[in-house]
Amino acid sequence: MTTAILTDPRYAAHTDPFHVERAERLQAIEQALRVSGLSKDVLALAPRFANRAELAAVHNQTYLDTIQRFCEHGGGQIDLDTYATDASWEAATLAAGAAVRAVESTLSGECNNAFALVRPPGHHATHNRAMGFCLINNIAVAAHHALNQFGLERVAIVDYDVHHGNGTQDIFYRDGNVLFCSTHAAPFYPGTGDSREIGSGDGIGATLNVPLPFGVGDQGYAQVFTELIIPAVRRWKPQMILVSAGYDGHGNDPLGPMALSVTGYAQLTRMLYDLAGELCDGRLLLVLEGGYDLKALGACVVAALQVLLGRDPGPDPIGRYDSPGTTVRSSIASLQQRHPLLAEQ
Ligand SMILES: [Zn+2]
């Protein structure tokens, strides 16, 4: 089993020391990797830049021109919580390019699975708008690359970041080739991701949103994956599974209201790893999204890489959380009755 990681020191130039989404996030991951000793067991691949055609498959040209010029003129605040610097265009296109390179590596057989450890994150960026710390939608560029350049017909994106991946949903909402599944806290930023948002046109049924009450922990998430996400992806029969790997659902996260542990997150990754083995020769690609408690972030990435290597992630270095009696039963029951990918089984 060959697991690739893709990261680059140039991501650090996109940073704001007063912002939670800053260079220290990837530095914490690198530190955790060093301490874990895992670096020698994974294949380190160099990212490349996503080219204009790859970006334009997802974002409109005017948007790309505007963001590039904004960065070239020194950057600044794009909205209340999204910033850019003079180095952000380079970082953002290198982040998307890392995800593209991971697709190429996985589909060419260079590796079995991969983790793109990138910044800025991507899943809130819509086809024409930067928001939620995101400039370019990295995972959407990667999924389009798998479809356009490798001729895949069906891919699945699973988003376990604590926030709804509104940008990814926006980009693929009418697309019958990409299944987008998201678990997220609700009501919470960015306010989208209602369970009734299921896609439109050719994409009807290819969006599965599982909004969850605050405080859901390992058991609740595992239940949602077992009863909703896994059956839906299985029914979709993807040729590759991509994961918007955000770790802000961890109980220590300063932004997220959930109670996942490192072990709980690793279990979710394990389910997706097993499913990829069952459905698509193990082709599984994780792309980093959120995660703002540096210790939890590093630990979650190390545990995910252990899973990708086919190993047991071992004891939880931080510990488990008691979920405050939050139940996911009603969320599950209503989706099982109404969602096209689940109701007709
Ligand atoms: Zn997030």
Side-chain angles (χ1 to χ4, degrees):
M1 182 67 69
T2 302
T3 295
I5 60 168
L6 300 95
T7 194
D8 195 288
R10 283 170 284 183
Y11 298 134
H14 167 82
T15 196
D16 172 345
F18 302 106
H19 199 288
V20 288
E21 205 298 285
R22 61 182 187 270
E24 281 84 351
R25 295 182 62 232
L26 282 183
Q27 290 159 3
I29 290 171
E30 282 162 24
Q31 170 71 11
L33 278 175
R34 264 195 302 276
V35 171
S36 73
L38 270 184
S39 305
K40 64 181 186 332
D41 300 333
V42 297
L43 174 68
L45 294 175
R48 66 169 173 82
F49 290 99
N51 63 40
R52 184 73 178 200
E54 289 159 354
L55 299 172
V58 164
H59 296 288
N60 85 26
Q61 299 275 9
T62 308
Y63 171 73
L64 293 170
D65 290 340
T66 305
I67 293 292
Q68 183 172 7
R69 267 200 304 272
F70 186 73
C71 296
E72 284 169 358
H73 287 103
Q77 286 299 126
I78 295 173
D79 64 20
L80 273 178
D81 46 32
T82 311
Y83 68 88
T85 70
D86 59 354
S88 295
W89 179 254
E90 180 178 74
T93 52
L94 194 59
V100 165
R101 176 82 175 82
V103 165
E104 291 168 346
S105 176
T106 307
L107 291 176
S108 70
E110 189 178 15
C111 65
N112 300 90
N113 51 41
F115 201 152
L117 297 167
V118 298
R119 296 180 48 255
H123 74 151
H124 293 305
T126 72
H127 81 288
N128 65 357
R129 185 179 172 199
M131 59 183 280
F133 320 160
C134 303
L135 304 179
I136 301 291
N137 195 312
N138 307 316
I139 202 161
V141 173
H144 258 292
H145 192 66
L147 299 170
N148 298 345
Q149 294 301 311
F150 287 87
L152 266 54
E153 292 171 349
R154 288 181 320 283
V155 303
I157 297 174
V158 176
D159 187 326
Y160 59 42
D161 188 280
V162 79
H163 302 97
H164 179 237
N166 64 296
T168 314
Q169 170 170 306
D170 167 75
I171 289 160
F172 296 115
Y173 206 60
R174 291 170 182 78
D175 194 320
N177 301 103
V178 179
L179 171 65
F180 174 67
C181 302
S182 175
T183 52
H184 45 272
F188 201 52
Y189 183 90
T192 49
D194 190 279
S195 61
R196 290 165 296 190
E197 297 166 16
I198 61 164
S200 71
D202 290 343
I204 285 184
T207 295
L208 170 60
N209 282 310
V210 189
L212 296 169
F214 289 15
V216 175
D218 295 353
Q219 196 190 343
Y221 266 94
Q223 203 177 341
V224 164
F225 268 60
T226 303
E227 298 186 36
L228 300 174
I229 306 291
I230 302 298
V233 176
R234 185 176 279 131
R235 188 150 187 213
W236 188 256
K237 298 189 178 71
Q239 294 154 298
M240 183 173 195
I241 299 174
L242 296 92
V243 181
S244 265
Y247 296 106
D248 40 12
H250 189 275
N252 280 6
D253 194 88
L255 300 190
M258 297 310 210
L260 273 166
S261 68
V262 173
T263 299
Y265 257 125
Q267 280 170 345
L268 305 182
T269 307
R270 167 72 66 182
M271 287 187 211
L272 297 169
Y273 171 89
D274 289 342
L275 191 63
E278 173 191 327
L279 299 176
C280 48
D281 296 329
R283 290 192 288 262
L284 180 65
L285 164 56
L286 274 59
V287 181
L288 186 68
E289 302 284 0
Y292 304 100
D293 179 85
L294 298 181
K295 186 176 176 195
L297 176 63
C300 283
V301 168
V302 166
L305 284 168
Q306 295 281 19
V307 170
L308 293 183
L309 286 161
R311 302 173 183 169
D312 186 326
D316 192 316
I318 297 176
R320 287 179 180 269
Y321 296 84
D322 288 329
S323 181
T326 309
T327 174
V328 295
R329 177 53 51 204
S330 63
S331 311
I332 290 175
S334 74
L335 275 160
Q336 281 175 331
Q337 283 163 15
R338 289 191 286 107
H339 194 279
L341 269 183
L342 298 162
E344 294 161 21
Q345 286 184 12

